[in-house]
Amino acid sequence: MNQDVLYDVWWKHHEEGDQGMENDHIPHWKRVLSFIPEEDLSQCSVLDFGCNQGGFLRLLYEQRPFKEGIGTDLARRSVEVANSRKGDLPIQYVATAEPEQFEGRFDLAFSLAVLYLIPDLGEHARKMKKALKPGGIYYATFADYSENPSLPYIQERINSNASIPMQEHTLDHIAEIFFQEGFRVGIRRMIPTWYLDLSPGKRWYQRVADHLQYAYEQAYVLRFEAPDDQESR
């Protein structure tokens, strides 16, 4: 493993940190799960790529118990926190940039609010294909801010506080990259089912209209199905 790519924490904002980020992401995780059709995970091995402090896998196990879960992340201290919180759950968290080390292990994988940080999506698609079992499913969330007026504000906030800068991917580019690796690609919008929280501490948008545009038009979950024939690994 290339230790040079690892860092201590991802979100370096002095008032929020990775714990604040985790707290903010819990409603997002719950909303994502409302769009995931797989209910019985009792025989499944699950990967959380970009697990940070491990909250998503713990939430997933609470709602849909799985056989085993592995979370990977580049933030060493966040992974240490994740392992300290897992108790006796069948989960392990690993500080690594190489999920493919668990070759052919996972029935299901997730990356939630991570794709926009990955510089080389081609490499990522290859790694995820190698980590998944033949026919395994990978769910990833992505916000297409390209037409959102608050994009410069969002970019500045992320790039000034994060260990990895925001990338400018498009839906077409993401789909094409995974097509090239033999994945079937599906997508849907994640339409809210409840009121949006406009509290000042939750403000990532300069106008309420920009927040609404993101929530109703620009928030997506992608479903990547790995090819059954894995001879190309």
Side-chain angles (χ1 to χ4, degrees):
M1 179 179 65
N2 182 0
Q3 294 287 337
D4 293 339
V5 304
L6 301 181
Y7 43 81
D8 286 334
V9 296
W10 179 72
W11 193 243
K12 297 178 287 186
H13 191 285
H14 67 284
E15 294 179 355
E16 299 168 347
D18 279 2
Q19 184 59 52
M21 184 182 66
E22 178 174 303
N23 295 341
D24 285 346
H25 274 75
I26 291 173
H28 174 69
W29 297 337
K30 291 180 177 179
R31 185 153 64 103
V32 170
L33 288 178
S34 72
F35 295 105
I36 304 303
E38 290 83 5
E39 293 287 344
D40 183 3
L41 306 184
S42 59
Q43 300 304 310
C44 290
S45 295
V46 181
L47 169 67
D48 181 13
F49 178 86
C51 65
N52 200 257
Q53 296 186 157
F56 173 71
L57 281 180
R58 296 193 300 273
L59 174 68
L60 179 62
Y61 190 83
E62 177 184 319
Q63 296 192 2
R64 308 180 195 185
F66 44 77
K67 182 175 68 175
E68 69 162 349
I70 294 177
T72 65
D73 201 278
L74 302 180
R76 299 182 190 90
R77 281 168 46 192
S78 299
V79 166
E80 290 174 2
V81 171
N83 277 312
S84 73
R85 294 177 176 178
K86 69 181 181 181
D88 59 358
L89 297 178
I91 301 172
Q92 62 174 305
Y93 298 100
V94 184
T96 181
E98 301 171 356
E100 73 278 13
Q101 67 185 277
F102 305 102
E103 185 169 355
R105 187 158 177 172
F106 301 107
D107 304 277
L108 204 60
F110 295 88
S111 70
L112 306 182
V114 175
L115 283 186
Y116 76 101
L117 298 171
I118 300 174
D120 189 340
L121 284 178
E123 179 186 47
H124 176 65
R126 290 188 292 273
K127 289 183 173 186
M128 295 303 290
K129 184 171 74 170
K130 194 168 185 179
L132 288 165
K133 294 178 180 178
I137 305 298
Y138 171 31
Y139 288 103
T141 61
F142 180 74
D144 179 11
Y145 288 123
S146 58
E147 301 298 324
N148 194 298
S150 285
L151 175 58
Y153 174 75
I154 294 168
Q155 286 177 317
E156 193 280 331
R157 187 170 187 211
I158 291 173
N159 293 344
S160 63
N161 290 289
S163 292
I164 302 176
M166 183 177 182
Q167 309 296 312
E168 296 186 14
H169 301 313
T170 66
L171 293 171
D172 291 302
H173 177 58
I174 294 169
E176 182 57 34
I177 288 294
F178 279 84
F179 282 140
Q180 290 174 8
E181 292 301 321
F183 284 86
R184 294 181 180 178
V185 180
I187 189 170
R188 67 171 299 163
R189 284 193 172 113
M190 295 194 298
I191 304 298
T193 58
W194 190 240
Y195 292 87
L196 297 181
D197 186 352
L198 301 180
S199 303
K202 308 293 185 183
R203 190 170 295 156
W204 279 83
Y205 307 90
Q206 293 180 302
R207 303 184 308 156
V208 171
D210 298 350
H211 192 170
L212 286 167
Q213 184 180 30
Y214 154 73
Y216 284 89
E217 301 176 24
Q218 298 170 333
Y220 297 91
V221 57
L222 293 114
R223 184 180 190 272
F224 306 108
E225 182 178 344
D228 291 328
D229 180 5
Q230 298 291 284
E231 293 180 358
S232 61
R233 287 181 182 273

